[in-house]
Coordinates of all heavy atoms in Angstrom, one line a residue:
G1 N 0.8 -1.2 0.0 CA 0.0 0.0 0.0 C 0.9 1.2 0.0 O 2.0 1.2 0.3
L2 N 0.2 2.3 -0.3 CA 0.9 3.6 -0.3 C 1.0 4.2 1.1 O 0.3 3.8 2.0 CB 0.1 4.6 -1.1 CG 0.0 4.4 -2.6 CD1 -1.0 5.3 -3.2 CD2 1.3 4.6 -3.3
P3 N 2.1 5.0 1.3 CA 2.1 5.7 2.6 C 0.9 6.5 2.7 O 0.3 7.0 1.8 CB 3.4 6.5 2.5 CG 3.8 6.6 1.1 CD 3.1 5.4 0.4
P4 N 0.5 6.8 4.0 CA -0.8 7.5 4.2 C -1.0 8.8 3.4 O -2.1 8.9 2.8 CB -0.8 7.8 5.7 CG 0.1 6.8 6.3 CD 1.1 6.5 5.2
V5 N 0.0 9.6 3.3 CA -0.2 10.9 2.7 C -0.5 10.8 1.2 O -1.3 11.6 0.6 CB 1.0 11.8 3.0 CG1 0.8 13.2 2.3 CG2 1.1 12.1 4.5
H6 N 0.1 9.8 0.6 CA -0.1 9.6 -0.9 C -1.6 9.3 -1.2 O -2.0 9.6 -2.3 CB 0.8 8.5 -1.4 CG 2.2 8.8 -1.7 ND1 3.2 8.4 -0.9 CD2 2.8 9.6 -2.7 CE1 4.3 8.9 -1.3 NE2 4.1 9.6 -2.4
G7 N -2.3 8.8 -0.3 CA -3.7 8.4 -0.5 C -4.7 9.4 0.0 O -5.9 9.1 0.0
F8 N -4.3 10.6 0.4 CA -5.3 11.6 0.9 C -5.9 12.3 -0.2 O -5.3 13.3 -0.7 CB -4.6 12.6 1.9 CG -4.2 12.0 3.2 CD1 -4.4 10.7 3.6 CD2 -3.5 12.9 4.1 CE1 -4.0 10.2 4.8 CE2 -3.1 12.4 5.3 CZ -3.4 11.1 5.7
P9 N -7.1 11.9 -0.6 CA -7.7 12.6 -1.8 C -8.0 14.1 -1.5 O -8.1 14.8 -2.5 CB -9.0 11.8 -2.0 CG -9.2 10.9 -0.8 CD -7.9 10.8 -0.1
A10 N -8.1 14.5 -0.3 CA -8.4 15.9 0.0 C -7.2 16.8 -0.3 O -7.4 18.0 -0.4 CB -8.8 16.1 1.5
L11 N -6.0 16.3 -0.3 CA -4.8 17.1 -0.6 C -4.6 17.2 -2.1 O -4.6 16.2 -2.8 CB -3.5 16.4 0.0 CG -3.5 16.4 1.5 CD1 -2.2 15.6 1.9 CD2 -3.5 17.8 2.1
P12 N -4.5 18.4 -2.6 CA -4.3 18.6 -4.1 C -2.9 18.3 -4.5 O -2.0 18.3 -3.7 CB -4.6 20.1 -4.3 CG -4.2 20.7 -3.0 CD -4.6 19.7 -1.9
Q13 N -2.8 17.9 -5.8 CA -1.4 17.7 -6.3 C -0.9 19.1 -6.6 O -1.7 20.0 -6.9 CB -1.5 16.8 -7.6 CG -1.9 15.4 -7.3 CD -0.9 14.6 -6.6 OE1 0.1 15.1 -6.0 NE2 -1.0 13.3 -6.5
P14 N 0.3 19.4 -6.6 CA 1.4 18.5 -6.2 C 1.7 18.4 -4.7 O 2.7 17.7 -4.3 CB 2.6 19.1 -6.9 CG 2.3 20.6 -6.9 CD 0.8 20.7 -7.0
L15 N 0.9 19.0 -3.9 CA 1.1 18.9 -2.4 C 1.1 17.5 -1.9 O 1.9 17.1 -1.1 CB 0.1 19.8 -1.7 CG 0.2 19.8 -0.2 CD1 1.5 20.4 0.3 CD2 -1.0 20.6 0.4
R16 N 0.1 16.7 -2.4 CA 0.0 15.3 -2.0 C 1.2 14.5 -2.4 O 1.8 13.8 -1.5 CB -1.3 14.7 -2.7 CG -1.5 13.3 -2.2 CD -2.7 12.6 -2.8 NE -3.6 13.5 -3.5 CZ -4.4 13.1 -4.5 NH1 -4.4 11.8 -4.9 NH2 -5.2 14.0 -5.1
W17 N 1.8 14.8 -3.6 CA 3.0 14.1 -4.0 C 4.1 14.5 -3.1 O 4.9 13.6 -2.6 CB 3.3 14.4 -5.4 CG 4.6 13.9 -5.9 CD1 4.9 12.6 -6.3 CD2 5.9 14.6 -5.8 NE1 6.3 12.5 -6.6 CE2 6.9 13.7 -6.3 CE3 6.2 15.9 -5.5 CZ2 8.2 14.1 -6.4 CZ3 7.6 16.2 -5.6 CH2 8.5 15.3 -6.0
Y18 N 4.3 15.8 -2.9 CA 5.4 16.3 -2.1 C 5.4 15.8 -0.6 O 6.3 15.2 -0.1 CB 5.4 17.8 -2.1 CG 6.5 18.4 -1.2 CD1 7.8 18.4 -1.5 CD2 6.2 18.9 0.1 CE1 8.8 18.8 -0.7 CE2 7.2 19.4 0.9 CZ 8.5 19.4 0.5 OH 9.5 19.8 1.4
L19 N 4.2 15.9 0.0 CA 4.1 15.4 1.4 C 4.2 13.9 1.5 O 4.8 13.4 2.4 CB 2.8 15.9 2.0 CG 2.6 17.4 2.2 CD1 1.2 17.7 2.8 CD2 3.7 17.9 3.2
G20 N 3.8 13.2 0.4 CA 3.9 11.8 0.4 C 5.4 11.4 0.3 O 5.8 10.4 0.9
R21 N 6.1 12.2 -0.5 CA 7.6 11.9 -0.6 C 8.3 12.1 0.7 O 9.1 11.3 1.1 CB 8.2 12.8 -1.7 CG 9.6 12.6 -2.0 CD 10.0 13.5 -3.2 NE 11.4 13.5 -3.3 CZ 12.2 14.6 -3.4 NH1 11.6 15.7 -3.5 NH2 13.5 14.5 -3.5
I22 N 8.0 13.2 1.4 CA 8.5 13.5 2.7 C 8.2 12.4 3.7 O 9.0 11.9 4.5 CB 8.1 14.8 3.2 CG1 8.6 15.9 2.3 CG2 8.6 15.1 4.7 CD1 10.1 16.0 2.2
A23 N 6.9 12.0 3.7 CA 6.4 10.9 4.6 C 7.1 9.6 4.4 O 7.5 8.9 5.3 CB 4.9 10.7 4.4
T24 N 7.4 9.3 3.1 CA 8.1 8.1 2.8 C 9.5 8.1 3.3 O 10.0 7.2 3.9 CB 8.2 7.9 1.2 OG1 6.8 7.7 0.8 CG2 9.0 6.7 0.9
Q25 N 10.2 9.3 3.2 CA 11.5 9.5 3.8 C 11.5 9.3 5.3 O 12.4 8.6 5.8 CB 12.1 10.8 3.4 CG 13.5 11.1 3.9 CD 14.0 12.5 3.4 OE1 13.4 13.2 2.7 NE2 15.2 12.8 4.0
F26 N 10.6 10.0 6.0 CA 10.5 9.9 7.4 C 10.2 8.4 7.8 O 10.8 7.9 8.8 CB 9.3 10.7 8.0 CG 9.7 12.2 8.0 CD1 8.6 13.1 8.0 CD2 11.0 12.7 8.0 CE1 8.9 14.5 8.1 CE2 11.2 14.0 8.0 CZ 10.2 15.0 8.0
D27 N 9.3 7.7 7.1 CA 9.0 6.4 7.4 C 10.2 5.5 7.3 O 10.5 4.6 8.2 CB 7.9 5.9 6.4 CG 7.2 4.7 6.8 OD1 6.7 4.6 7.9 OD2 7.0 3.7 6.0
S28 N 11.0 5.7 6.3 CA 12.2 4.9 6.1 C 13.2 5.1 7.2 O 13.8 4.2 7.7 CB 12.9 5.2 4.7 OG 14.1 4.5 4.5
E29 N 13.4 6.4 7.6 CA 14.3 6.7 8.6 C 13.9 6.2 10.0 O 14.7 5.7 10.8 CB 14.6 8.2 8.7 CG 15.3 8.8 7.5 CD 15.4 10.3 7.4 OE1 15.2 10.9 8.5 OE2 15.8 10.8 6.4
L30 N 12.6 6.3 10.2 CA 12.0 5.7 11.5 C 12.2 4.2 11.5 O 12.6 3.7 12.5 CB 10.5 6.1 11.6 CG 9.8 5.5 12.8 CD1 10.4 6.0 14.1 CD2 8.3 5.9 12.8
Q31 N 11.9 3.5 10.4 CA 12.1 2.1 10.4 C 13.6 1.7 10.6 O 13.8 0.8 11.4 CB 11.6 1.5 9.1 CG 11.6 0.0 9.0 CD 10.9 -0.5 7.8 OE1 10.5 0.3 6.9 NE2 10.7 -1.8 7.7
E32 N 14.5 2.4 10.1 CA 15.9 2.2 10.3 C 16.3 2.4 11.8 O 17.0 1.6 12.4 CB 16.8 3.1 9.4 CG 18.2 2.8 9.5 CD 19.1 3.7 8.7 OE1 18.6 4.2 7.6 OE2 20.2 4.0 9.0
S33 N 15.8 3.5 12.3 CA 16.1 3.8 13.7 C 15.5 2.7 14.7 O 16.2 2.3 15.6 CB 15.5 5.2 14.1 OG 15.7 5.5 15.4
V34 N 14.3 2.3 14.4 CA 13.6 1.3 15.3 C 14.3 0.0 15.2 O 14.4 -0.8 16.2 CB 12.1 1.2 14.8 CG1 11.5 0.0 15.4 CG2 11.4 2.4 15.3
S35 N 14.9 -0.3 14.0 CA 15.5 -1.7 13.9 C 16.8 -1.8 14.7 O 17.2 -2.9 15.0 CB 15.9 -1.9 12.4 OG 17.0 -1.0 12.0
K36 N 17.3 -0.7 15.3 CA 18.5 -0.8 16.1 C 18.1 -1.1 17.6 O 19.0 -1.4 18.4 CB 19.2 0.6 16.1 CG 19.7 0.9 14.7 CD 20.3 2.3 14.6 CE 20.7 2.6 13.2 NZ 21.2 4.0 13.1
D37 N 16.8 -1.1 17.9 CA 16.4 -1.4 19.3 C 15.6 -2.7 19.3 O 14.5 -2.7 18.8 CB 15.6 -0.2 19.8 CG 15.2 -0.4 21.3 OD1 15.4 -1.5 21.8 OD2 14.6 0.6 21.8
K38 N 16.1 -3.7 19.9 CA 15.4 -5.0 19.9 C 14.1 -5.0 20.7 O 13.2 -5.8 20.5 CB 16.3 -6.1 20.5 CG 16.6 -5.9 22.0 CD 17.4 -7.1 22.5 CE 17.7 -7.0 24.0 NZ 16.5 -7.1 24.8
D39 N 13.8 -4.0 21.5 CA 12.6 -3.8 22.3 C 11.6 -2.9 21.6 O 10.5 -2.7 22.2 CB 12.9 -3.3 23.7 CG 13.7 -4.3 24.5 OD1 13.5 -5.5 24.3 OD2 14.6 -3.8 25.3
T40 N 11.9 -2.5 20.4 CA 11.0 -1.6 19.7 C 10.5 -2.3 18.4 O 11.3 -3.0 17.7 CB 11.6 -0.3 19.4 OG1 12.1 0.2 20.6 CG2 10.7 0.7 18.7
V41 N 9.3 -2.1 18.0 CA 8.7 -2.7 16.8 C 8.2 -1.6 15.9 O 7.5 -0.7 16.4 CB 7.6 -3.7 17.1 CG1 7.0 -4.3 15.8 CG2 8.1 -4.9 18.0
F42 N 8.5 -1.6 14.6 CA 8.0 -0.7 13.7 C 6.6 -1.2 13.1 O 6.5 -2.3 12.7 CB 9.0 -0.5 12.5 CG 8.5 0.3 11.4 CD1 8.5 1.7 11.6 CD2 7.9 -0.2 10.2 CE1 8.1 2.6 10.5 CE2 7.5 0.7 9.2 CZ 7.6 2.0 9.4
L43 N 5.6 -0.3 13.2 CA 4.3 -0.7 12.7 C 4.0 0.2 11.5 O 3.8 1.5 11.7 CB 3.2 -0.5 13.8 CG 1.8 -0.6 13.4 CD1 1.5 -2.0 12.8 CD2 0.8 -0.4 14.5
S44 N 4.1 -0.4 10.4 CA 3.8 0.4 9.1 C 2.4 0.9 9.1 O 1.5 0.2 9.5 CB 4.1 -0.5 7.9 OG 3.8 0.2 6.7
L45 N 2.3 2.1 8.6 CA 0.9 2.7 8.4 C 0.5 2.6 6.9 O -0.5 3.2 6.5 CB 0.9 4.2 8.8 CG 1.2 4.4 10.3 CD1 1.1 5.9 10.6 CD2 0.2 3.6 11.1
R46 N 1.2 1.8 6.1 CA 0.9 1.5 4.7 C -0.2 0.5 4.7 O 0.0 -0.7 5.1 CB 2.1 1.1 3.9 CG 3.2 2.1 3.8 CD 4.4 1.5 3.2 NE 5.5 2.5 3.2 CZ 5.9 3.2 2.2 NH1 5.3 3.1 1.0 NH2 6.8 4.1 2.3
F47 N -1.4 0.9 4.3 CA -2.5 -0.1 4.3 C -3.0 -0.4 2.9 O -2.9 -1.4 2.4 CB -3.6 0.5 5.1 CG -3.3 0.5 6.6 CD1 -2.9 1.7 7.2 CD2 -3.3 -0.6 7.4 CE1 -2.5 1.8 8.5 CE2 -3.0 -0.6 8.7 CZ -2.6 0.6 9.3
T48 N -3.6 0.6 2.2 CA -4.3 0.3 1.0 C -4.2 1.5 0.0 O -4.0 2.6 0.5 CB -5.7 0.0 1.2 OG1 -6.4 -0.3 0.0 CG2 -6.5 1.1 1.9
E49 N -4.3 1.3 -1.2 CA -4.3 2.4 -2.2 C -5.8 2.7 -2.5 O -6.1 3.6 -3.3 CB -3.6 2.0 -3.4 CG -2.1 1.7 -3.2 CD -1.4 1.3 -4.5 OE1 -1.8 1.6 -5.6 OE2 -0.4 0.6 -4.3
N50 N -6.8 2.1 -1.8 CA -8.2 2.3 -2.1 C -8.6 3.6 -1.3 O -8.9 3.5 -0.1 CB -9.0 1.1 -1.6 CG -10.4 1.2 -1.9 OD1 -10.9 2.2 -2.4 ND2 -11.1 0.1 -1.8
A51 N -8.8 4.7 -2.1 CA -9.2 5.9 -1.5 C -10.6 5.8 -0.9 O -11.0 6.6 0.0 CB -9.1 7.1 -2.5
A52 N -11.4 4.9 -1.3 CA -12.8 4.7 -0.8 C -12.7 4.3 0.7 O -13.8 4.5 1.4 CB -13.5 3.6 -1.6
L53 N -11.6 3.8 1.2 CA -11.5 3.5 2.6 C -11.2 4.7 3.5 O -11.1 4.5 4.7 CB -10.5 2.3 2.8 CG -10.9 1.0 2.1 CD1 -9.8 0.0 2.4 CD2 -12.3 0.5 2.6
M54 N -11.0 5.8 2.9 CA -10.7 7.0 3.7 C -12.0 7.6 4.3 O -13.1 7.2 3.8 CB -10.0 8.1 2.8 CG -8.7 7.7 2.2 SD -7.4 7.5 3.5 CE -7.1 9.2 3.9
A55 N -11.9 8.3 5.3 CA -13.0 9.0 5.9 C -13.6 10.0 4.8 O -13.0 10.3 3.9 CB -12.7 9.7 7.2
S56 N -14.8 10.4 5.1 CA -15.5 11.2 4.1 C -14.8 12.6 3.9 O -15.0 13.2 2.9 CB -17.0 11.5 4.5 OG -17.1 12.1 5.8
D57 N -14.0 13.0 4.9 CA -13.3 14.3 4.7 C -12.1 14.1 3.8 O -11.5 15.1 3.4 CB -12.8 14.8 6.1 CG -11.8 14.0 6.8 OD1 -11.3 13.0 6.2 OD2 -11.4 14.4 7.9
G58 N -11.8 12.9 3.3 CA -10.7 12.7 2.4 C -9.3 12.9 3.0 O -8.3 12.9 2.3
F59 N -9.2 13.1 4.3 CA -7.9 13.3 5.0 C -7.6 12.3 6.0 O -6.5 11.9 6.2 CB -8.0 14.7 5.6 CG -6.6 15.2 6.1 CD1 -5.6 15.6 5.2 CD2 -6.3 15.1 7.4 CE1 -4.4 16.0 5.7 CE2 -5.1 15.5 7.9 CZ -4.1 16.0 7.0
H60 N -8.6 11.8 6.7 CA -8.4 10.8 7.8 C -8.7 9.4 7.3 O -9.5 9.2 6.5 CB -9.3 11.2 9.0 CG -8.9 12.5 9.6 ND1 -9.5 13.7 9.3 CD2 -8.0 12.7 10.6 CE1 -8.9 14.6 10.0 NE2 -8.0 14.1 10.8
P61 N -8.1 8.4 7.9 CA -8.4 7.0 7.6 C -9.9 6.8 8.0 O -10.4 7.3 9.0 CB -7.5 6.2 8.5 CG -6.3 7.2 8.8 CD -6.9 8.5 8.9
G62 N -10.5 5.9 7.2 CA -11.8 5.5 7.5 C -11.8 4.3 8.6 O -10.7 3.8 8.9
P63 N -13.0 3.8 9.0 CA -13.1 2.8 10.0 C -12.3 1.5 9.6 O -11.7 0.9 10.5 CB -14.6 2.5 10.1 CG -15.2 3.8 9.6 CD -14.3 4.4 8.6
E64 N -12.4 1.1 8.4 CA -11.7 -0.1 8.0 C -10.2 0.0 8.1 O -9.5 -1.0 8.6 CB -12.1 -0.5 6.5 CG -11.4 -1.7 6.0 CD -11.7 -3.0 6.7 OE1 -12.9 -3.1 7.3 OE2 -10.9 -3.9 6.8
I65 N -9.7 1.1 7.8 CA -8.2 1.3 8.0 C -7.8 1.3 9.5 O -6.9 0.7 9.9 CB -7.7 2.6 7.3 CG1 -7.9 2.5 5.8 CG2 -6.3 2.9 7.7 CD1 -7.6 3.7 5.0
Y66 N -8.7 1.9 10.3 CA -8.4 1.9 11.8 C -8.5 0.5 12.3 O -7.7 0.1 13.2 CB -9.3 2.8 12.5 CG -8.9 4.3 12.5 CD1 -9.8 5.2 11.9 CD2 -7.7 4.7 13.0 CE1 -9.4 6.6 11.8 CE2 -7.4 6.0 13.0 CZ -8.2 6.9 12.4 OH -7.8 8.3 12.3
T67 N -9.4 -0.3 11.7 CA -9.6 -1.7 12.2 C -8.3 -2.5 11.8 O -7.8 -3.2 12.6 CB -10.8 -2.4 11.5 OG1 -12.0 -1.7 11.9 CG2 -10.9 -3.8 11.8
Q68 N -7.8 -2.3 10.6 CA -6.6 -3.0 10.2 C -5.4 -2.6 11.0 O -4.6 -3.4 11.4 CB -6.3 -2.6 8.7 CG -7.2 -3.2 7.7 CD -6.9 -2.8 6.3 OE1 -5.8 -2.4 6.0 NE2 -7.9 -2.7 5.4
W69 N -5.3 -1.3 11.3 CA -4.2 -0.8 12.2 C -4.3 -1.4 13.6 O -3.3 -1.9 14.1 CB -4.4 0.7 12.3 CG -3.2 1.5 12.9 CD1 -2.0 1.0 13.2 CD2 -3.2 2.9 13.2 NE1 -1.2 2.0 13.8 CE2 -1.9 3.1 13.7 CE3 -4.1 3.9 13.1 CZ2 -1.5 4.4 14.1 CZ3 -3.7 5.2 13.5 CH2 -2.5 5.4 14.0
A70 N -5.5 -1.5 14.1 CA -5.7 -2.1 15.5 C -5.3 -3.6 15.4 O -4.7 -4.1 16.4 CB -7.1 -1.9 15.9
E71 N -5.7 -4.3 14.4 CA -5.4 -5.7 14.3 C -3.9 -5.9 14.2 O -3.3 -6.8 14.8 CB -6.1 -6.3 13.1 CG -7.6 -6.5 13.3 CD -8.3 -6.9 12.0 OE1 -7.7 -6.9 10.9 OE2 -9.6 -7.1 12.1
R72 N -3.2 -5.1 13.4 CA -1.7 -5.2 13.3 C -1.1 -4.9 14.7 O -0.1 -5.6 15.1 CB -1.2 -4.3 12.3 CG -1.6 -4.6 10.9 CD -1.0 -3.6 9.9 NE -1.4 -3.9 8.5 CZ -1.0 -3.3 7.5 NH1 -0.1 -2.3 7.6 NH2 -1.4 -3.5 6.3
A73 N -1.5 -3.9 15.3 CA -0.9 -3.5 16.6 C -1.2 -4.7 17.6 O -0.3 -5.0 18.4 CB -1.5 -2.2 17.2
A74 N -2.4 -5.2 17.6 CA -2.7 -6.3 18.6 C -1.9 -7.5 18.3 O -1.4 -8.2 19.2 CB -4.2 -6.7 18.4
A75 N -1.6 -7.8 17.0 CA -0.8 -9.0 16.7 C 0.7 -8.8 17.2 O 1.3 -9.7 17.7 CB -0.8 -9.2 15.2
I76 N 1.2 -7.6 17.1 CA 2.5 -7.3 17.6 C 2.5 -7.4 19.1 O 3.4 -8.1 19.7 CB 3.0 -5.9 17.2 CG1 3.2 -5.9 15.7 CG2 4.2 -5.5 17.9 CD1 3.5 -4.5 15.1
V77 N 1.6 -6.9 19.8 CA 1.5 -6.9 21.2 C 1.4 -8.4 21.7 O 2.1 -8.9 22.6 CB 0.4 -6.1 21.8 CG1 0.1 -6.3 23.3 CG2 0.7 -4.6 21.6
H78 N 0.5 -9.1 21.0 CA 0.3 -10.5 21.4 C 1.5 -11.4 21.1 O 1.9 -12.2 22.0 CB -0.9 -11.1 20.6 CG -1.2 -12.5 20.8 ND1 -1.7 -13.0 22.0 CD2 -1.0 -13.6 20.1 CE1 -1.8 -14.3 22.0 NE2 -1.4 -14.7 20.8
G79 N 2.2 -11.1 20.0 CA 3.4 -11.8 19.7 C 4.5 -11.5 20.7 O 5.4 -12.4 20.9
R80 N 4.5 -10.4 21.3 CA 5.6 -10.0 22.2 C 5.3 -10.3 23.7 O 6.1 -10.1 24.5 CB 6.0 -8.5 22.0 CG 6.6 -8.3 20.6 CD 7.0 -6.9 20.4 NE 8.0 -6.4 21.3 CZ 9.3 -6.6 21.2 NH1 9.8 -7.3 20.1 NH2 10.2 -6.1 22.0
A81 N 4.0 -10.7 23.9 CA 3.6 -10.9 25.3 C 4.3 -12.0 25.9 O 4.5 -12.1 27.2 CB 2.1 -11.1 25.3
D82 N 4.8 -13.0 25.2 CA 5.5 -14.1 25.7 C 7.0 -13.9 25.9 O 7.7 -14.7 26.5 CB 5.4 -15.3 24.7 CG 3.9 -15.7 24.5 OD1 3.1 -15.5 25.4 OD2 3.6 -16.2 23.4
V83 N 7.5 -12.7 25.5 CA 8.9 -12.4 25.6 C 9.3 -12.1 27.1 O 8.6 -11.5 27.8 CB 9.3 -11.2 24.7 CG1 10.7 -10.9 24.9 CG2 9.0 -11.6 23.2

């Protein structure tokens, strides 16, 4: 999936492209930083390219995206509970 900002239909181009590019760079740097700490897990916010899953304001994730995010977070927490 695309990074969140690339999929915000409310943001006009080229702003959406520019902010998406910056978000991708931040995402990469965060993932690299997190990988250095064994007690930290990176949770990607890349979900879907389907703009229909965004909230009606075109800026915030819709309920299905929040559900996916929660399921991913729960899987990480559950997987680390035995550590």
Side-chain angles (χ1 to χ4, degrees):
L2 292 170
V5 178
H6 280 107
F8 288 0
L11 294 175
Q13 292 292 13
L15 180 61
R16 184 179 346 156
W17 172 85
Y18 175 75
L19 292 177
R21 185 171 167 230
I22 298 299
T24 297
Q25 181 180 354
F26 285 158
D27 198 51
S28 178
E29 291 174 14
L30 177 61
Q31 189 170 6
E32 182 181 334
S33 177
V34 165
S35 72
K36 297 174 185 175
D37 182 352
K38 67 178 181 67
D39 295 324
T40 305
V41 177
F42 176 78
L43 175 59
S44 174
L45 298 181
R46 294 173 186 257
F47 292 99
T48 180
E49 296 179 26
N50 185 351
L53 296 180
M54 297 293 289
S56 61
D57 66 5
F59 189 77
H60 293 93
E64 178 62 30
I65 295 174
Y66 280 117
T67 297
Q68 292 175 26
W69 191 6
E71 289 171 352
R72 290 179 185 188
I76 290 170
V77 170
H78 178 69
R80 295 182 61 84
D82 299 332
V83 176

